[in-house]
Amino acid sequence: MSEDPKFKEVFDSLTPDRQKGYILHIQKVKKSTKRTFRRTSRIEKNSKRIFIGKDLHDCVCGLSKKMPKCDGSHNKF
């Protein structure tokens, strides 16, 4: 976050529960020699969700019947 002030600003604007969810998800990487790479990868994969203010489990495709949570409807196609 220190490298991208805009990302830090957006992340700080999330609710404390959403921030905690992302932090726990990113820190929960299994131990390996590529740990830093995997954490960076998780940040990159979730950055779109963070920028639009979504939670880890919120639907971003718009197909879910249980909005705002994802029900896996996007996997049925």
Side-chain angles (χ1 to χ4, degrees):
M1 281 197 241
S2 60
E3 297 172 8
D4 189 354
K6 178 67 176 166
F7 184 79
K8 180 176 175 18
E9 179 183 328
V10 171
F11 186 81
D12 289 343
S13 71
L14 295 174
T15 64
D17 287 338
R18 289 185 178 180
Q19 288 179 7
K20 184 178 179 181
Y22 281 113
I23 290 169
L24 292 175
H25 176 68
I26 292 165
Q27 288 180 341
K28 207 179 270 189
V29 174
K30 293 182 181 179
K31 293 182 181 180
S32 75
T33 56
K34 298 180 182 178
R35 188 177 200 161
T36 304
F37 171 75
R38 290 186 180 178
R39 283 185 176 175
T40 304
S41 176
R42 283 191 178 193
I43 292 169
E44 289 170 357
K45 286 179 184 177
N46 290 297
S47 64
K48 178 182 174 187
R49 287 178 176 275
I50 292 170
F51 272 102
I52 59 176
K54 296 280 187 176
D55 189 40
L56 272 173
H57 306 289
D58 286 352
C59 176
V60 291
C61 71
L63 299 174
S64 178
K65 301 206 180 358
K66 297 181 179 181
M67 293 297 264
K69 301 298 179 195
C70 180
D71 65 0
S73 295
H74 59 277
N75 293 330
K76 296 177 184 172
F77 294 103

